[in-house]
Amino acid sequence: MRDNGLTGTLPCCLANLTSLQYLDISYNDFTGPLPWCLANLTSLLCLDISSNNFKGQFPVWLLNNNTKLERLYLFNNSLSGPLQLPIHPHTSLEELDISINSFNGHIPTKIGAYLPMLQILNISRNYLKGSIPSSFGDMKSLEHLDLSSNLLTGGIPEHLAMGCISLQLLALSNNRLQGKIFPTKFNLKSLLPRWLGNKSFLMEIIMSKNHLKGPIPLEFCQLESLEVLDLSENNINGSLPSCFPPSSIKQVHLSKNKLQGQLSDGLSKKGNIPDLIGTFFDLTYLILSNNDFQGEVPISLCKLSQLRLIDLSHNKLSGHIPPCLNITIVTVASDHVLSLERLVNMSLRKGETIEFTTKTRSYSYQGRILSYMSGIDLSNNKLVGAIPYKIGNLVGIHTLNLSHNNLTGLIPSTFSNLKQIESLDLSYNNLIGKIPPQLVELNNLAVFSVAHNNLSGKLPDRIAQFGTFEESSYEGNPFLCGQPLPKSCNAIESQPKDSSIVGEDNDFIDMNVFYISFVVSYIVMLLGIVAVLLINPYWRRRWFYIVELWTTSCYYFVINHLHK
């Protein structure tokens, strides 16, 4: 009866089906409380009432009577009240999902003892508070644990870290947890997808938006199957472990922490994100923004053929932008995203997102749309040098932000190849020359800014997308002219008098050439005078006479003034 638009209350006549083993009434519009008569379905193995509008408390009576029940899905309803445990331990229940409800109170301290055989437990997106019970460590078969988006406080129990030896996914994001990421003893190293056989799947640790502090434990290096690590928006400090990240990693989210060190090429240097990161060929998202990383952008990032999003913004990176920097453009959803969508009974990953700034705003991407997003954000660093023209080869990129750096040189005309780009921000640099007129070909461009540079000349024609950009896109460039700026274009106004560049985009004087020419001319003039004096005796005598006369005059002038 799944997804049939059924309404009203659930009829008690279902209780007559005493041999019923599977009941799925999810994705309908049933209301009211769950009828107690369902307790008569003692042969029931799976009950799915998710995505309805059922009200009332947690149906603990269902667990007390249906001792054979293996899977219970209650997510996305209007259930409320405390989470209750059965009278006796329920040794058959393997999967329990009560996410997206209004349950409140504390998680029962003995939950591990009364539900010992759970493999999947999702109680996310409720109003549960208090600490995480250490009895979770008694669930030896627990593979997926999602406690995210609640009001939990305290730290992560040591018994959980030591006891849950089968854990594959741990989601603790959007709580109020604090303390160390994990205690010293750490045994979560069996993150293998037994329940999907040999098919590869995302192995995830998600603990973002808490108050966790301290360094990333060395034990993370033991997680050989870890593919997603999200520790963003915490107070994590220190440097990354020398063996970090694991070789199977696909997503790294460490933004908005207090990590530091250099992005250099040594595994043993404290605080580095190693150049060897280029060997992690499956890495798709690298999010390290809002930290204190220093050094250069590792050139080894060029080796990551699956990388789609690079966010190194708001750090202290210096040096040049690697000319080989690349991202992957995806036109179809990847296998792991499709796999997630096939898990219709699991809402575990529906709330998890990747945050990335584009069009001057931070957006959250998830699901299928995430597989289409691609971009590079190196803004708010100390990068220098010219923008590599090869970036213009990233023809499918959606956003590029190089603002608030110390970049120099011209805007590459190859940027006209970025046909899919929607946001291009080059503001607050030291760029010079003209804005390439070919950029008007970028028909998908929604946000464009070159403000606060040293650009000059006429603005691109106000056609297509460029007809929508206002003065704020160009402000802070005193030698730009044309609409929408108030300055009209003429040869005098549009050229800076002290420009030091000459090239294909302007006709300004190169000051270095000027100084060299002046010195050479001066030396040539002196050598010419010496040559004339050596060749012509008459001019030589006249020269010495003038020098002698000038010297005598100066001498008597000084003597006369000294006597006075």
Side-chain angles (χ1 to χ4, degrees):
M1 293 187 289
R2 173 188 176 94
D3 196 13
N4 278 297
L6 301 175
T7 61
T9 58
L10 196 63
C12 255
C13 61
L14 290 173
N16 298 325
L17 305 175
T18 55
S19 299
L20 188 66
Q21 293 184 333
Y22 300 92
L23 176 59
D24 185 352
I25 57 172
S26 61
Y27 296 93
N28 283 291
D29 198 21
F30 286 112
T31 58
L34 278 174
W36 283 68
C37 57
L38 291 181
N40 296 329
L41 302 178
T42 54
S43 299
L44 203 61
L45 299 179
C46 176
L47 174 62
D48 189 349
I49 66 167
S50 58
S51 295
N52 280 283
N53 196 28
F54 286 110
K55 294 179 172 61
Q57 295 189 337
F58 179 76
V60 65
W61 45 267
L62 196 62
L63 296 180
N64 289 328
N65 292 277
N66 301 69
T67 57
K68 296 181 180 179
L69 193 64
E70 297 176 354
R71 296 185 294 278
L72 177 59
Y73 304 113
L74 309 177
F75 65 84
N76 196 19
N77 278 285
S78 299
L79 302 173
S80 59
L83 177 58
Q84 303 177 58
L85 295 177
I87 299 174
H88 303 289
H90 198 296
T91 57
S92 298
L93 194 64
E94 297 178 353
E95 299 181 14
L96 175 62
D97 191 339
I98 63 170
S99 62
I100 321 179
N101 279 286
S102 298
F103 291 113
N104 52 40
H106 292 69
I107 302 174
T109 57
K110 296 183 179 181
I111 188 171
Y114 280 78
L115 302 174
M117 303 308 295
L118 277 180
Q119 298 178 14
I120 296 174
L121 176 60
N122 188 353
I123 57 179
S124 65
R125 301 174 74 174
N126 282 285
Y127 299 97
L128 298 167
K129 59 184 180 180
S131 58
I132 299 175
S134 62
S135 65
F136 277 129
D138 296 331
M139 298 178 178
K140 304 300 181 183
S141 301
L142 192 62
E143 297 178 353
H144 285 204
L145 176 60
D146 191 346
L147 309 179
S148 63
S149 299
N150 280 287
L151 304 172
L152 300 175
T153 57
I156 302 173
E158 180 176 309
H159 189 45
L160 185 155
M162 290 298 297
C164 296
I165 57 176
S166 300
L167 202 60
Q168 300 172 10
L169 185 150
L170 178 61
L172 304 176
S173 58
N174 288 282
N175 278 288
R176 300 173 181 174
L177 300 174
Q178 54 190 340
K180 291 185 177 180
I181 300 175
F182 278 113
T184 304
K185 297 178 181 179
F186 182 94
N187 198 30
L188 305 180
K189 55 184 180 181
S190 299
L191 300 184
L192 295 175
R194 297 191 185 99
W195 59 286
L196 284 179
N198 295 323
K199 185 175 176 61
S200 62
F201 191 60
L202 291 177
M203 301 295 98
E204 310 173 12
I205 292 181
I206 304 163
M207 296 188 287
S208 60
K209 298 180 181 179
N210 283 288
H211 302 286
L212 300 173
K213 61 182 180 180
I216 297 176
L218 284 171
E219 288 81 1
F220 270 41
C221 301
Q222 302 174 16
L223 307 179
E224 297 179 355
S225 297
L226 186 65
E227 297 185 358
V228 177
L229 176 63
D230 188 351
L231 304 178
S232 59
E233 297 190 49
N234 282 285
N235 294 314
I236 299 169
N237 55 25
S239 56
L240 296 178
S242 58
C243 54
F244 184 87
S247 59
S248 58
I249 202 74
K250 290 187 176 180
Q251 298 183 25
V252 178
H253 307 269
L254 301 176
S255 61
K256 299 181 182 179
N257 279 290
K258 298 178 181 178
L259 294 167
Q260 56 187 335
Q262 295 187 357
L263 294 170
S264 62
D265 57 357
L267 283 174
S268 61
K269 296 180 181 180
K270 183 178 179 181
N272 294 347
I273 294 180
D275 190 66
L276 202 60
I277 196 173
T279 62
F280 305 119
F281 299 112
D282 291 328
L283 191 66
T284 52
Y285 307 109
L286 181 61
I287 313 295
L288 301 178
S289 61
N290 290 275
N291 283 287
D292 291 316
F293 288 119
Q294 303 173 3
E296 298 185 353
V297 178
I299 196 169
S300 57
L301 290 180
C302 302
K303 302 176 183 178
L304 303 180
S305 59
Q306 301 300 316
L307 206 54
R308 300 174 199 163
L309 288 179
I310 303 174
D311 189 353
L312 305 179
S313 62
H314 294 274
N315 280 286
K316 298 177 181 177
L317 300 175
S318 57
H320 294 71
I321 300 174
C324 56
L325 204 59
N326 195 11
I327 59 163
T328 299
I329 310 303
V330 179
T331 55
V332 294
S334 61
D335 288 342
H336 62 265
V337 174
L338 290 175
S339 297
L340 285 173
E341 293 176 349
R342 294 190 187 106
L343 300 176
V344 293
N345 290 327
M346 290 292 295
S347 63
L348 198 58
R349 287 290 296 135
K350 291 182 180 178
E352 300 300 336
T353 60
I354 290 180
E355 291 189 2
F356 191 77
T357 299
T358 181
K359 302 178 184 178
T360 70
R361 294 178 57 188
S362 179
Y363 291 90
S364 296
Y365 296 92
Q366 60 181 338
R368 185 183 295 269
I369 188 63
L370 179 60
S371 65
Y372 291 97
M373 184 59 187
S374 59
I376 297 175
D377 190 347
L378 303 179
S379 63
N380 290 273
N381 280 287
K382 300 178 181 179
L383 300 174
V384 299
I387 300 174
Y389 73 91
K390 289 186 178 180
I391 290 183
N393 296 331
L394 306 179
V395 294
I397 195 171
H398 290 95
T399 183
L400 176 63
N401 191 347
L402 306 178
S403 65
H404 293 84
N405 281 287
N406 298 311
L407 299 173
T408 57
L410 308 173
I411 299 176
S413 59
T414 55
F415 276 12
S416 61
N417 298 328
L418 307 179
K419 303 300 184 183
Q420 301 301 318
I421 198 163
E422 299 174 0
S423 179
L424 176 60
D425 193 347
L426 307 177
S427 61
Y428 291 92
N429 281 288
N430 298 310
L431 301 174
I432 60 172
K434 291 183 178 180
I435 301 173
Q438 301 94 324
L439 297 188
V440 297
E441 302 171 10
L442 303 179
N443 294 324
N444 291 313
L445 196 59
V447 172
F448 175 71
S449 180
V450 292
H452 299 281
N453 280 283
N454 296 317
L455 299 170
S456 59
K458 184 179 181 298
L459 295 182
D461 295 334
R462 288 182 63 79
I463 59 176
Q465 290 300 103
F466 272 78
T468 66
F469 304 139
E470 301 302 328
E471 183 178 351
S472 59
S473 296
Y474 309 103
E475 64 185 6
N477 293 279
F479 300 107
L480 282 177
C481 64
Q483 293 294 325
L485 295 176
K487 180 183 292 187
S488 62
C489 289
N490 59 61
I492 297 177
E493 289 179 328
S494 65
Q495 294 185 1
K497 297 179 181 179
D498 60 347
S499 176
S500 59
I501 293 293
V502 61
E504 64 176 4
D505 288 330
N506 53 66
D507 300 319
F508 307 143
I509 298 174
D510 191 324
M511 295 305 294
N512 293 327
V513 175
F514 172 78
Y515 292 138
I516 294 173
S517 301
F518 179 81
V519 172
V520 171
S521 300
Y522 187 78
I523 294 174
V524 170
M525 182 184 68
L526 289 180
L527 292 177
I529 294 174
V530 172
V532 169
L533 295 179
L534 290 176
I535 296 172
N536 193 315
Y538 173 75
W539 286 359
R540 186 166 60 248
R541 287 194 298 269
R542 293 297 299 175
W543 169 257
F544 288 127
Y545 172 77
I546 292 173
V547 171
E548 183 180 4
L549 182 61
W550 181 81
T551 303
T552 303
S553 300
C554 290
Y555 171 77
Y556 285 111
F557 176 81
V558 172
I559 294 298
N560 290 336
H561 281 76
L562 287 176
H563 286 302
K564 292 180 180 180

